[in-house]
């Protein structure tokens, strides 16, 4: 697999904490605007250029997107960001609560994505691809890193870990309590060791950022069509990503809340659920402690649900996922939620908010029932990707999230 050093456009040490921002797709326009009110340097002005206008602007309009590039140029002109003179690899470490993960910022091959050597597990939406591909083309940069992983190998992992020592280039803690540390690897011999080591790796996997990756590839194809004599070495042939060993990554639960019981009384609902799940009343709060257990909160009480024999095929990697078991045996047949992507009666709550958020939503009266999931495992995700299959919607919530604006890949 190709790991390619690059000349990062990046903030000065003094400005990195002010410029760095969450990925564009995990914040709303309103949230990005709120940050920008108090922080004129925020990278949201690049990644969410609609906030550069007083009104809600069209993110498919090149004139709107141009303001993202203008903000980037302003940050450079004012000396808040600069481009490295040589291509480097950037060691990236995140600390969140008791969790630590260490990887690299580098650029990765568009062709390996097209050849499915960079494996996916989610469907992408064309409208979102269109928007971000246009963003790449107008801003002429990959502004948000794709989140990649590889199957951990000690001899490869150690080549990265040994450089996560000494005084880092950046060291700051963000508004979510995540500590971000970056070391610039300038030693050409050490860079080459990492590049060579990854040549023996068979595949990379997208953990998060499927639309960012697809958009980068779409933009690259357009650039190639506009430059028929391209050599393959142009920057647009590579996209920005952070790459981590799978053994260090953390997936949180991705929970469900539903607004009604599909016309049933609670008694009728529990009777139907009991036909496919073993139901156990739980004293106090319940958070699933193992695979194939689901917590259900209804009318101030927690229940543990365990699927009965015959409700799923253990040999089918998709059907045996807890999110599939719940969808196929309860959400669709009992609550009538056939398509969780589009049904307005269901919502999804990332595990970062805790079980308490499920209780709050149901107790507020806005939702009738909540389901607490056991986190999907990294191994299951890898298996799905290796089999070329697609995870059900809202199956994984990776934490901590990557930051945009720490490094930018100019094209």
């Amino acid at each position: 697999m190709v790991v390619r050093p690059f000349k990062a456009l990046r903030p000065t040490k003094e400005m990195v904490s002010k410029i760095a921002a969450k990925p564009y797709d995990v914040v709303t326009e309103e949230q990005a605007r709120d940050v920008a009110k108090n922080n004129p340097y925020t990278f949201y002005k690049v990644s969410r250029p609609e906030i550069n206008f007083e009104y809600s602007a069209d993110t498919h309009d090149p004139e709107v997107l141009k303001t993202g590039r203008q903000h980037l140029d302003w940050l450079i002109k004012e000396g808040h960001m600069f481009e490295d003179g040589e291509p480097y690899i950037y060691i990236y470490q995140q600390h969140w609560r008791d969790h630590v993960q260490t990887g690299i910022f580098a650029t990765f091959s568009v062709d390996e994505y097209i050849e499915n050597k960079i494996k996916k597990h989610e469907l992408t939406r064309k409208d979102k691809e269109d928007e971000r591909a246009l963003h790449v083309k107008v801003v002429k940069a990959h502004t948000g890193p794709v989140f990649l992983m590889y199957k951990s190998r000690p001899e490869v992992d150690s080549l990265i870990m040994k450089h996560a020592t000494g005084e880092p280039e950046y060291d700051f803690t963000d508004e979510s309590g995540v500590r971000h540390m970056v070391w610039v690897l300038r030693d050409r011999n050490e860079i080459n060791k990492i590049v060579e080591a990854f040549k023996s790796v068979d595949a990379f996997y997208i953990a998060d950022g499927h639309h960012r990756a697809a958009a980068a590839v779409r933009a690259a194809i357009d650039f190639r069509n506009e430059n028929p004599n391209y050599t393959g070495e142009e920057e647009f042939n590579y996209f920005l990503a952070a790459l981590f060993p799978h053994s260090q990554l953390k997936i949180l639960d991705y929970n469900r809340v539903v607004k009604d019981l599909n016309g049933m009384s609670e008694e009728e609902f529990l009777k139907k659920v009991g036909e496919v799940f073993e139901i156990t009343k739980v004293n106090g709060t319940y958070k699933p402690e193992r695979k194939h257990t689901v917590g259900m909160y209804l009318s101030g009480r927690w229940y543990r649900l365990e699927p009965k024999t015959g409700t799923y095929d253990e040999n089918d990697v998709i059907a045996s996922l807890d999110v599939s078991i719940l969808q196929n045996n309860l959400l669709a047949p009992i609550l009538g939620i056939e398509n969780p992507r589009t049904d307005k009666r269901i919502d999804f709550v990332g595990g970062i908010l805790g079980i308490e958020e499920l209780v709050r939503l149901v107790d507020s009266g806005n939702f009738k029932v909540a389901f607490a999931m056991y986190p999907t495992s990294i191994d299951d995700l890898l298996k799905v990707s290796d089999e070329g299959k697609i995870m059900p919607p809202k199956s994984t919530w990776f934490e901590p999230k990557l930051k945009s604006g720490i490094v930018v890949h100019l094209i």
Side-chain angles (χ1 to χ4, degrees), residues 1 13 89 96 122 126 132 155 167 197 215 230 252 269 277 300 307 356 389 396-397 402 410:
M1 296 297 292
K13 289 184 180 183
I89 283 175
W96 179 63
E122 281 185 13
K126 184 179 182 299
R132 296 320 292 185
E155 69 274 16
E167 184 178 351
Y230 76 92
L252 300 188
F269 171 67
F277 290 89
E356 299 78 18
K389 296 179 178 177
T396 57
W397 181 283
L402 306 181
L410 296 177

Side-chain angles (χ1 to χ4, degrees), residues 392-410:
K394 310 297 185 182
S395 298
T396 57
W397 181 283
F398 281 90
E399 200 68 42
K401 303 292 185 188
L402 306 181
K403 280 288 189 180
S404 296
I406 296 177
V407 292
V408 176
H409 178 223
L410 296 177

Side-chain angles (χ1 to χ4, degrees), residues 174-213:
D174 68 17
E175 68 281 3
S176 300
V178 178
R179 184 183 181 189
H180 302 264
M181 304 173 74
V182 177
W183 293 262
V184 181
L185 180 55
R186 296 180 171 89
D187 186 300
R188 197 58 50 192
N189 288 331
E190 293 299 314
I191 290 174
N192 290 337
K193 286 179 184 177
I194 292 175
V195 171
E196 287 300 314
F198 277 108
K199 287 181 179 178
S200 65
V201 171
D202 294 330
F204 294 147
Y205 300 80
I206 298 179
D208 205 1
H210 283 76
H211 284 94
R212 273 165 269 165

Side-chain angles (χ1 to χ4, degrees), residues 41-331:
Y41 309 102
T42 178
F43 205 71
Y44 290 138
K45 286 177 166 281
V46 177
S47 63
R48 300 291 303 255
E50 65 272 25
I51 70 170
N52 298 324
F53 298 81
E54 292 183 5
Y55 52 89
S56 186
D58 181 4
T59 52
H60 293 82
D61 183 347
E63 295 304 314
V64 172
L65 299 177
K66 282 179 184 177
T67 67
R69 179 66 202 209
Q70 289 165 1
H71 184 70
L72 202 58
D73 288 338
W74 176 78
L75 289 170
I76 297 169
K77 180 184 175 184
E78 294 298 313
H80 303 315
M81 295 188 78
F82 65 96
E83 186 178 16
D84 280 321
E86 297 290 333
Y88 300 132
I89 283 175
Y90 304 82
I91 311 299
Y92 183 33
Q93 188 172 87
Q94 295 175 296
H95 297 246
W96 179 63
R97 299 177 182 173
D98 60 350
H99 178 76
V100 180
Q101 57 193 40
T102 307
I104 58 172
F105 282 122
T107 56
F108 298 84
S109 169
V110 163
D111 289 310
E112 289 190 337
Y113 178 98
I114 294 170
E115 294 162 6
N116 204 37
K117 293 179 181 177
I118 297 175
K119 299 188 177 187
K120 306 91 181 167
H121 68 263
E122 281 185 13
L123 295 173
T124 53
R125 284 172 40 186
K126 184 179 182 299
D127 60 330
K128 287 188 174 183
E129 282 187 33
D130 289 344
E131 178 188 336
R132 296 320 292 185
L134 187 59
H135 186 278
V136 171
K137 292 177 66 178
V138 172
V139 179
K140 290 186 170 56
H142 297 129
T143 57
V146 178
F147 191 165
L148 295 180
M149 61 181 170
Y150 65 95
K151 290 180 180 176
S152 178
R153 290 162 55 172
E155 69 274 16
V156 177
D157 303 353
S158 62
L159 290 175
I160 296 171
M161 288 299 299
K162 74 177 186 178
H163 297 294
T165 57
E167 184 178 351
E169 184 80 0
Y170 302 134
D171 186 352
F172 68 98
T173 300
D174 68 17
E175 68 281 3
S176 300
V178 178
R179 184 183 181 189
H180 302 264
M181 304 173 74
V182 177
W183 293 262
V184 181
L185 180 55
R186 296 180 171 89
D187 186 300
R188 197 58 50 192
N189 288 331
E190 293 299 314
I191 290 174
N192 290 337
K193 286 179 184 177
I194 292 175
V195 171
E196 287 300 314
F198 277 108
K199 287 181 179 178
S200 65
V201 171
D202 294 330
F204 294 147
Y205 300 80
I206 298 179
D208 205 1
H210 283 76
H211 284 94
R212 273 165 269 165
V217 173
R218 285 267 301 276
I221 292 171
D222 287 348
F223 282 128
R224 288 175 173 184
N225 290 335
E226 294 165 7
N227 300 273
N229 296 320
Y230 76 92
T231 66
E233 291 304 311
E234 296 86 356
E235 294 299 325
F236 58 70
N237 295 291
Y238 302 87
F239 63 90
L240 175 64
L243 175 68
F244 294 89
H246 86 283
S247 60
Q248 294 185 20
L249 298 185
K250 190 175 186 67
I251 298 179
L252 300 188
D253 41 306
Y254 215 156
N255 305 309
R256 281 88 168 112
V257 286
V258 180
K259 292 184 177 179
D260 59 66
L261 298 183
N262 199 25
M264 290 176 284
S265 67
E266 291 183 13
E267 292 76 14
E268 291 170 324
F269 171 67
L270 287 169
K271 184 173 184 295
K272 283 187 173 292
V273 172
E275 292 172 2
V276 283
F277 290 89
E278 298 289 351
I279 304 177
T280 306
K281 290 182 179 180
V282 179
N283 293 323
T285 300
Y286 176 69
K287 185 177 174 69
E289 70 281 358
R290 57 183 170 81
K291 189 176 181 179
H292 298 340
T293 59
V294 176
M296 182 174 73
Y297 185 69
L298 176 70
S299 293
R301 176 179 284 278
W302 279 98
Y303 301 83
R304 182 174 64 247
L305 307 183
E306 296 179 83
K308 292 183 176 180
T309 303
T311 54
Y312 65 94
D313 180 358
E314 188 65 64
N315 296 316
D316 185 324
V317 65
I318 298 293
S320 62
L321 294 171
D322 286 351
V323 290
S324 297
I325 294 170
L326 183 71
Q327 176 63 35
N328 297 336
N329 293 282
L330 196 160
L331 295 179

